[in-house]
Amino acid sequence: MENLRSWAASGLASASTAEAELFLASHKERVLKVCLSIIGHRERAEDAAQEALIKAWINRTDVRDDEKEAAWVRVIAVRQAWTEVRRYPDTDELSESIPDKGSADETALVQAALNRIPAERRIVLILAESEGMTMDEIGEALDIPSGTAASRLYRARIAFQTYWEQGDK
Amino acid sequence: MSKSNTRANQVLDTYFDKLHTEAAKDDWAPDLKDRVLKISRPKRVYEILLFSLVGAGIIAAIAMLTAREDPNAPPMMIDSPAVQSAQSRIGE
């Protein structure tokens, strides 16, 4: 009986290990990219990415089609990162002030301009620009109509251009 | 599209390229695989137990149905003295 139990445990463990390695190798980097683009802060993005990957791993049997798995995991990552952004809406260090062009690098200036855009518009701009997602994909990920996503993207582009030009002067 | 808009788009592209390069730079969360495995193992055990219970239930149900339809079972005694007595009382 003990032999049978150890054999079963080792069989389960080895199967899970290989499966987990493949799953993480397939999605880990991309999930972090999504979370980092949305959150803009490395440590918070890593936390959100880990939570997203664990959620995806637990529910991975929900996806029958392997080709759709990457898109499905990306939606989970987007929602996890979006939850993180809404949980701490006022913690963006750069949102309170715009750094001078001469004292900050371009990354900081872009972050400052992005952070001035209302969050629900900013995330649409980020998903479109960073991930190349369509309006339908963004609408599904954020649970909003695709027309609303398109409208928010338009307004976010105008806002970013305005804030960037203000910071660029 | 205006020149400044093009410039803004270029800036965004550069910004996200930089973020993506940073994300791919190092192996973050090296203990994530262990966390994932700790979650997966109990779930698999529970799945096996659940399927075993369901299987046992199905086998038990089939066994019960088969027993009721046993051709060798004795016929119901509808003409027994007790039944005849009851019928006569109802008739009265």
Side-chain angles (χ1 to χ4, degrees):
Chain A
M1 185 64 189
E2 189 61 35
N3 287 340
L4 182 65
R5 197 176 297 155
S6 61
W7 171 80
S10 64
L12 287 173
S14 60
S16 293
T17 303
E19 199 182 348
E21 283 175 352
L22 181 64
F23 181 84
L24 291 176
S26 303
H27 303 297
K28 197 176 167 185
E29 186 179 316
R30 189 164 187 204
V31 165
L32 180 61
K33 285 179 181 177
V34 172
C35 292
L36 192 56
S37 298
I38 294 170
I39 297 170
H41 185 279
R42 177 78 192 206
E43 287 180 15
R44 286 172 61 199
E46 284 187 9
D47 290 343
Q50 287 194 57
E51 293 304 314
L53 284 164
I54 287 170
K55 280 182 184 174
W57 171 258
I58 290 170
N59 298 298
R60 68 194 182 283
T61 51
D62 291 353
V63 184
R64 301 290 178 199
D65 190 349
D66 287 345
E67 291 178 6
K68 292 180 180 172
E69 189 180 79
W72 176 76
V73 172
R74 183 173 66 179
V75 168
I76 292 175
V78 168
R79 289 178 178 168
Q80 186 66 38
W82 183 222
T83 301
E84 174 70 18
V85 167
R86 285 183 296 178
R87 189 181 295 166
Y88 304 106
D90 300 322
T91 57
D92 296 323
E93 294 169 7
L94 294 167
S95 62
E96 294 174 2
S97 62
I98 306 169
D100 294 332
K101 184 77 177 175
S103 63
D105 64 3
E106 192 170 90
T107 301
L109 287 165
V110 173
Q111 278 187 329
L114 283 173
N115 285 336
R116 291 181 70 188
I117 303 171
E120 67 273 9
R121 293 179 189 168
R122 181 175 69 223
I123 190 171
V124 176
L125 177 66
I126 288 170
L127 294 178
E129 290 290 332
S130 172
E131 293 299 309
M133 290 170 72
T134 65
M135 291 307 104
D136 287 340
E137 289 172 334
I138 293 172
E140 185 195 346
L142 299 178
D143 200 22
I144 57 174
S146 56
T148 305
S151 169
R152 288 181 185 177
L153 177 60
Y154 175 75
R155 291 172 190 278
R157 281 192 199 283
I158 291 174
F160 178 76
Q161 186 183 342
T162 305
Y163 298 143
W164 172 254
E165 285 173 354
Q166 285 176 5
D168 202 29
K169 284 173 185 172
Chain B
M1 192 178 286
S2 69
K3 189 180 176 183
S4 58
N5 193 18
T6 305
R7 169 69 182 139
N9 285 342
Q10 285 173 349
V11 162
L12 270 182
D13 286 343
T14 308
Y15 170 76
F16 287 122
D17 283 347
K18 197 173 176 181
L19 275 189
H20 288 179
T21 306
E22 190 189 331
K25 201 164 52 181
D26 52 7
D27 184 25
W28 59 283
D31 62 336
L32 185 57
K33 191 181 81 181
D34 294 334
R35 285 183 66 191
V36 158
L37 287 173
K38 277 179 190 169
I39 293 165
S40 67
R41 209 164 298 167
K43 190 185 175 191
R44 280 174 170 262
V45 172
Y46 287 133
E47 281 173 356
I48 290 166
L49 284 174
L50 181 65
F51 284 126
S52 302
L53 283 172
V54 170
I58 291 169
I59 290 167
I62 291 170
M64 286 173 67
L65 289 171
T66 309
R68 280 185 187 174
E69 293 172 1
D70 186 0
N72 298 322
M76 290 182 68
M77 305 296 284
I78 56 173
D79 54 348
S80 67
V83 172
Q84 287 173 355
S85 169
Q87 282 176 337
S88 65
R89 277 202 297 273
I90 291 166
E92 288 169 6

